[in-house]
Amino acid sequence: MRIPALERDNPLDLFNRQHVMEVKSAFRDVTVGHEDQMAKVSTSMLAGPDTSVESYVLAEQGIERLRDAFTEYFQRYDALLLPVLPIPAHEHGLAQFTISGQTVDATHIQTATIPFNLTGLPAPDVSR
């Protein structure tokens, strides 16, 4: 089964552009003086470029395409079963992974769950 919107739009990129625009300035304000206590993902977000309004709007449009695609999918199917991670379990603290011969940043492992964060769909962990 394919969901073309997941191939057209990179959900992690959409999330990063939306998330940065929505929280970066407030996050910067509340973390001043605590930089040494922040997680890598937080320091990376603060160090990265701001999201322009145009980029934010394009990200929101991409998120709507994902919502529409999942709506279409669930009109045909009752469930969607996916792995929680796109790779096998790994040791804690790795900054990069090699997937299909390509080295990717550790944030790449969120690609299996980010579409559900963006669309508001439930994604229960039934592995327990």
Side-chain angles (χ1 to χ4, degrees):
M1 179 64 207
R2 290 178 54 235
I3 299 177
L6 290 173
E7 297 169 15
R8 177 185 172 172
D9 296 297
N10 178 332
L12 187 57
D13 177 56
L14 296 175
F15 175 80
N16 286 336
R17 288 188 284 153
Q18 180 196 49
H19 186 70
V20 166
M21 174 64 109
E22 292 178 350
V23 304
K24 188 172 183 179
S25 68
F27 195 78
R28 186 182 296 121
D29 292 345
V30 299
T31 58
V32 171
H34 302 283
E35 293 83 2
D36 61 328
Q37 300 169 7
M38 294 181 356
K40 180 183 184 266
V41 68
S42 300
T43 57
S44 294
M45 185 264 292
L46 287 174
D50 290 346
T51 301
S52 68
V53 171
E54 179 182 1
S55 185
Y56 179 81
V57 169
L58 291 173
E60 285 292 319
Q61 291 170 345
I63 293 166
E64 283 302 313
R65 284 190 293 273
L66 290 177
R67 286 186 184 117
D68 291 345
F70 280 115
T71 297
E72 183 179 318
Y73 175 89
F74 285 115
Q75 288 174 349
R76 296 181 60 198
Y77 303 100
D78 293 330
L80 176 61
L81 300 177
L82 299 167
V84 175
L85 297 175
I87 60 174
H90 55 85
E91 68 181 76
H92 181 72
L94 295 179
Q96 295 181 328
F97 299 99
T98 301
I99 301 174
S100 300
Q102 181 181 2
T103 300
V104 296
D105 185 82
T107 58
H108 181 81
I109 64 171
Q110 301 173 40
T111 59
T113 56
I114 286 290
F116 302 98
N117 295 351
L118 292 173
T119 58
L121 289 168
D125 179 1
V126 295
S127 63
R128 297 179 226 191

